[in-house]
Amino acid sequence: MSGSPGPAPGCDPSSSVTSAGLAAPALRPAPRSPLYPQTYREHLDGQRHRKKEVLATLGDQLTCDLCHVACTGPRALAAHIRGARHQRALRRYSDLEEPPAELRSLGGRGQQGPPDSPADHGPSRQTAEGPRVQAPRNEAGEASGSDSAPLGLEFVEEVRDGRGRVLRLRCSLCACSFNDRHARDLHLRGRRHRLQYREKVDPELPLSGAPSARTCRRLDEQLRRQRRQKRRRLEALRHLHSQARIQDVLRSREQEPGDPGRAPPSTSSEDPAAACSWPPRPPPQQPPRRWESREDRHALSRHAAIYPAEAELRAVQSAVEHTERALRRVSDQLALDSGCDSSDGDVAASLRVLKGVMRVGTLAKGLLRPGAQQVQLLLLCSQKPTRSLLRTVAELLPQELPAVTEAEYRVSQDAEAAITVASCEEPHVQVTVSLTSPLMREDPSTPPGSRAACSDPEDILNPDKCLQDLKALRQAKWFQARASGLQPCVVVIRLFKDLCLRTAPWAPLPAWALELLVEKALSSAARPLGPGDAIRRVLECVAAGTLLPDGPGLQDPCERELTDALGPMTAQEREELTASAQHALRLVAFRQIHRVLGMEPLQPPRSRLGARMRKRLREAGTQASDPGPVASKQARPGGEGEP
């Protein structure tokens, strides 16, 4: 075939000579087999052969007949001869039982590269016709890798079809097949074949001590992977150490030396068991401190503005404690009047008329607002409360208050089954005491006949008012069990209650529904949220249509029947509330949360943490001790610092 860079199959091997004058070994004629003509035709139609045909038509090209590679110049040919591909081909043809005439004539010594090749001016390397590179051998004399001699050729058989044509070559020792003799030779030199030969034929066959090139590449890749993993772990440890260092610096700035909130250092005398134990106990794990974002700073600032003053909280706490202690004395007095022996505690507890005092409403939930000094207490009775019992408690309470405290209180009774205890000093705190009993709520498991059999007293208190008080007690217990443990829950509820007082669309939202909404939104979060993120999440829940008539709604968990906590709201009020939440969510997204909270925007912090949290902190007094180049310039006469 004209234009082919290499000799055609079946030609004389001695005719394979490059145009640069270098003799190179050529392939022997291919064996006559029905497989090779098809392979040859596919090769002629391939891209590689066509590319070499195009290169041959361009002019006189330097070619390597051993590798069938065309080069554009002497330097490219010299680089190819020094390359790994040419060296592999040279070793492969040197292993033949009858090497080509070119290799036999060289006698193990080859010529050097072209005169103008880089090999003449630098470190010399082996050329194409150089001596044969022998594979390293171990003590037993076996060649390592794939350069060893073929072993077990008698176990390779030819698989023929019905006409006697060779289809493939099969190694019965390893149960694998090949398509040509070159693949067969590589397999016979491989480690897998030698292991099978050693196991099934010759147990004393020595194996190669040096790993093959493939094994070396795999080991190198494994070492590189281990180094990358080690580098990632070191970077993660450095990041953790830097974060811990930043936390320590921030904690030391927040807690001044005279701060009473700082925990005193632990000594061995406080916990001798921990001091003597070995190994020492690790320090308790503290929750990681999260950075305060811009929204968090605005939310905490607004919460501090609407939080009641310390004097108001102390006044409310004092009035509640005094009222509770006085009511306990009233309960003891009623127990003595009924002839109950106080020495037997169990009998006295079962025969008492007044069972206990419970805090409900904003007092039990911790949601007091500034200026709101009205709190509520529930007085639980063993029987259904009556008006005569209410009058008796109202008469005994003023007599027991002076025995509890020296403060002056005014006790009054209203027609709504409640007793009001008001302080006479500033601030005027008003404590409302209501009487109720669990018996006011009918048990659905009780048969209807037994309900009619038990008759109510004639002067029983208003049943609806008693049921409302029991409902408030259940809500307070639920709030203490579910919402008080969520750190930002109380803060967010107080902020949204302030929003309900300032914004008209939020005013119809019931307080209990708001508490349920905030608790459900925060408890379903995947991670703990800050105040700013918690506000955004609650707004997202409302803006998504949770409160709409066709939405999921809010089920009251404190009721036996399915009750919607948003029952008092109309459809129009729910739509207006949803639209207002969508508008507020847009404001939060555009960094205008101060408009949602009803406050002025805060100024950014003066100090930046990035400038101070560097690897080397700037020590105080460095500039004062070292005048630097500026002072030297000012002191130099006629310099830049001289006016």
Side-chain angles (χ1 to χ4, degrees):
M1 177 178 178
S2 60
S4 175
C11 65
D12 187 8
S14 61
S15 62
S16 58
V17 180
T18 60
S19 59
L22 298 178
L27 289 172
R28 290 190 299 175
R32 297 183 178 274
S33 174
L35 294 177
Y36 289 96
Q38 178 66 22
T39 306
Y40 180 66
R41 285 193 297 271
E42 293 178 356
H43 167 71
L44 294 181
D45 296 337
Q47 183 179 3
R48 180 180 178 184
H49 183 78
R50 293 180 180 180
K51 180 179 179 181
K52 292 181 179 180
E53 279 185 334
V54 173
L55 292 177
T57 56
L58 296 178
D60 191 9
Q61 299 288 332
L62 299 177
T63 60
C64 175
D65 293 339
L66 182 64
C67 305
H68 299 284
V69 173
C71 303
T72 57
R75 293 181 180 273
L77 179 62
H80 166 72
I81 292 174
R82 293 193 304 268
R85 177 182 177 184
H86 186 83
Q87 296 297 329
R88 286 197 303 269
L90 180 64
R91 289 195 299 268
R92 183 169 63 251
Y93 290 115
S94 298
D95 290 339
L96 297 177
E97 298 177 358
E98 296 181 1
E102 289 79 1
L103 291 182
R104 293 197 301 267
S105 62
L106 291 175
R109 296 182 178 273
Q111 303 175 1
Q112 300 295 330
D116 55 346
S117 64
D120 299 336
H121 308 285
S124 61
R125 297 184 60 179
Q126 192 66 31
T127 58
E129 296 80 9
R132 174 184 175 184
V133 181
Q134 297 291 337
R137 298 178 178 269
N138 52 17
E139 296 179 357
E142 180 194 359
S144 63
S146 61
D147 295 335
S148 59
L151 180 66
L153 186 61
E154 63 274 9
F155 295 99
V156 179
E157 56 185 10
E158 295 180 352
V159 179
R160 302 176 179 271
D161 57 359
R163 299 180 180 180
R165 294 180 300 181
V166 178
L167 299 179
R168 62 182 181 276
L169 303 175
R170 185 177 183 276
C171 177
S172 60
L173 196 63
C174 304
C176 56
S177 302
F178 335 101
N179 291 332
D180 53 10
R181 304 181 188 278
H182 178 60
R184 178 203 63 184
D185 295 340
L186 291 178
H187 169 73
L188 295 180
R189 295 190 184 101
R191 185 177 181 85
R192 174 188 174 188
H193 180 78
R194 288 182 172 273
L195 288 175
Q196 295 291 333
Y197 191 89
R198 180 180 180 180
E199 180 180 353
K200 300 179 180 179
V201 180
D202 187 6
E204 299 180 357
L205 177 69
L207 295 178
S208 174
S212 61
R214 180 180 179 182
T215 305
C216 293
R217 288 194 301 270
R218 186 170 62 253
L219 293 177
D220 293 341
E221 180 64 26
Q222 184 177 1
L223 291 177
R224 284 194 296 269
R225 191 182 305 110
Q226 293 177 358
R227 285 195 293 268
R228 288 195 297 267
Q229 294 178 357
K230 184 178 180 180
R231 193 180 305 113
R232 294 193 192 99
R233 287 195 296 267
L234 290 177
E235 292 177 357
L237 288 177
R238 293 193 190 100
H239 179 71
L240 290 178
H241 289 321
S242 62
Q243 293 294 330
R245 185 166 170 267
I246 292 174
Q247 298 294 340
D248 294 339
V249 173
L250 291 177
R251 194 178 297 109
S252 62
R253 289 180 182 176
E254 291 180 356
Q255 296 181 351
E256 298 298 333
D259 189 1
R262 172 180 293 183
S266 60
T267 59
S268 59
S269 60
E270 296 178 358
D271 193 2
C276 300
S277 62
W278 184 262
R281 300 176 184 174
Q285 295 290 339
Q286 297 182 357
R289 179 185 177 89
R290 61 183 306 276
W291 299 102
E292 291 184 356
S293 62
R294 182 177 180 274
E295 289 76 11
D296 293 345
R297 292 191 296 107
H298 281 79
L300 294 177
S301 176
R302 182 58 182 173
H303 179 264
I306 63 177
Y307 194 78
E310 189 68 24
E312 296 181 359
L313 294 178
R314 284 198 300 266
V316 172
Q317 186 69 17
S318 300
V320 171
E321 289 181 355
H322 295 162
T323 306
E324 290 175 346
R325 292 167 59 185
L327 288 174
R328 291 191 185 97
R329 294 177 64 89
V330 171
S331 177
D332 296 340
Q333 184 65 30
L334 292 177
L336 292 176
D337 294 343
S338 62
C340 177
D341 187 6
S342 60
S343 60
D344 192 354
D346 297 337
V347 177
S350 60
L351 297 179
R352 283 180 179 269
V353 180
L354 303 180
K355 291 293 187 179
V357 182
M358 304 296 295
R359 300 180 182 183
V360 295
T362 57
L363 176 63
K365 301 174 183 178
L367 297 175
L368 293 176
R369 289 186 51 82
Q373 287 86 23
Q374 292 84 13
V375 295
Q376 186 179 4
L377 296 178
L378 285 184
L379 190 58
L380 297 180
C381 306
S382 59
Q383 300 296 330
K384 294 184 178 181
T386 59
R387 299 185 185 274
S388 58
L389 179 60
L390 180 63
R391 286 193 300 268
T392 303
V393 174
E395 293 174 359
L396 294 178
L397 189 58
Q399 301 176 9
E400 300 296 340
L401 280 174
V404 174
T405 179
E406 298 178 356
E408 297 182 1
Y409 290 93
R410 184 176 62 255
V411 181
S412 61
Q413 176 186 355
D414 56 2
E416 295 294 334
I419 301 173
T420 303
V421 180
S423 61
C424 301
E425 300 177 357
E426 290 289 342
H428 299 286
V429 180
Q430 183 177 351
V431 182
T432 303
V433 182
S434 302
L435 273 67
T436 186
S437 174
L439 299 177
M440 300 296 295
R441 191 182 187 190
E442 296 181 355
D443 190 0
S445 61
T446 305
S450 59
R451 298 182 193 175
C454 55
S455 58
D456 296 337
E458 297 180 358
D459 57 344
I460 189 173
L461 296 179
N462 187 5
D464 296 338
K465 180 65 172 59
C466 295
L467 292 177
Q468 290 294 330
D469 295 338
L470 290 176
K471 182 178 180 181
L473 179 60
R474 294 194 301 271
Q475 293 176 0
K477 290 183 178 180
W478 183 91
F479 190 91
Q480 293 174 0
R482 298 294 300 271
S484 298
L486 259 56
Q487 181 62 29
C489 187
V490 178
V491 176
V492 175
I493 290 176
R494 184 176 280 111
L495 292 175
F496 272 97
K497 284 192 174 183
D498 178 71
L499 179 64
C500 294
L501 295 177
R502 294 184 291 101
T503 310
W506 290 80
L509 181 64
W512 174 239
L514 176 61
E515 296 167 5
L516 286 177
L517 174 65
V518 175
E519 190 275 334
K520 295 296 182 184
L522 299 188
S523 62
S524 60
R527 58 180 178 84
L529 302 178
D533 295 338
I535 293 175
R536 180 193 291 264
R537 183 170 178 83
V538 174
L539 291 176
E540 288 174 352
C541 293
V542 180
T546 305
L547 308 184
L548 291 177
D550 55 348
L554 290 175
Q555 182 180 354
D556 195 345
C558 299
E559 298 296 334
R560 295 170 181 170
E561 299 81 8
L562 294 178
T563 305
D564 189 6
L566 301 171
M569 296 184 63
T570 62
Q572 182 64 27
E573 292 174 346
R574 297 187 183 191
E575 292 181 359
E576 293 177 357
L577 179 59
T578 304
S580 177
Q582 294 173 354
H583 177 66
L585 187 60
R586 295 189 192 98
L587 294 178
V588 173
F590 286 100
R591 301 175 62 85
Q592 296 183 8
I593 192 174
H594 58 277
R595 296 179 57 183
V596 179
L597 299 176
M599 59 181 295
E600 295 294 331
L602 298 179
Q603 297 296 331
R606 297 181 180 179
S607 61
R608 294 180 301 171
L609 295 178
R612 296 187 179 183
M613 300 302 138
R614 292 173 181 170
K615 186 175 182 181
R616 297 180 179 179
L617 296 177
R618 182 177 300 174
E619 299 180 358
T622 304
Q623 297 181 356
S625 60
D626 186 8
V630 179
S632 61
K633 289 182 179 181
Q634 293 179 355
R636 186 186 308 165
E640 296 179 5
E642 185 177 358

